[in-house]
Amino acid sequence: GGGTNPRYPPNKVMIWDDHQNRCIGELSFRSEVKAVKLRRDRVVVVLEHKIYVYDFSHLKLLDHIETIQNVKGLCALCPDPQNTVLVCPGLQ
């Protein structure tokens, strides 16, 4: 989010810990972030033509997926950590 006067640029994802009351992680991209999906063990960042999947605890990049144009940031992540299912627009 950010509204009309965001604190951070639209190409950054800031991971905030309410318990510690501070930012515990930051991810920067070359283009605008369209959506972010969270799970206890994953952070999924959706850009217009690509999706990045990170390990939540260390913010280590696990995978990246090329997509067709996705201006609305369509993406769904299964909430069950036993099932690694990510749904997004494909190239074909």
Side-chain angles (χ1 to χ4, degrees):
T4 56
N5 191 20
R7 177 179 283 188
Y8 300 104
N11 66 321
K12 283 194 176 188
V13 173
M14 309 301 288
I15 309 294
W16 183 265
D17 186 327
D18 269 346
H19 184 68
Q20 297 180 33
N21 200 31
R22 69 180 184 94
C23 181
I24 58 169
E26 176 182 326
L27 299 168
S28 295
F29 301 92
R30 293 183 184 162
S31 61
E32 180 181 350
V33 174
K34 299 296 184 180
V36 177
K37 303 295 181 182
L38 298 174
R39 195 169 77 179
R40 288 188 181 273
D41 62 336
R42 297 286 182 264
V43 176
V44 177
V45 180
V46 183
L47 307 180
E48 191 166 335
H49 293 281
K50 198 174 257 194
I51 293 179
Y52 292 94
V53 180
Y54 293 88
D55 171 69
F56 193 97
S57 59
H58 301 3
L59 295 182
K60 176 186 171 195
L61 180 64
L62 300 175
D63 200 0
H64 65 280
I65 303 162
E66 297 282 336
T67 67
I68 60 168
Q69 187 177 18
N70 186 6
V71 294
K72 293 188 177 188
L74 299 175
C75 178
L77 177 64
C78 179
D80 181 3
Q82 301 301 319
N83 294 309
T84 307
V85 177
L86 176 71
V87 180
C88 64
L91 287 174
Q92 300 177 4

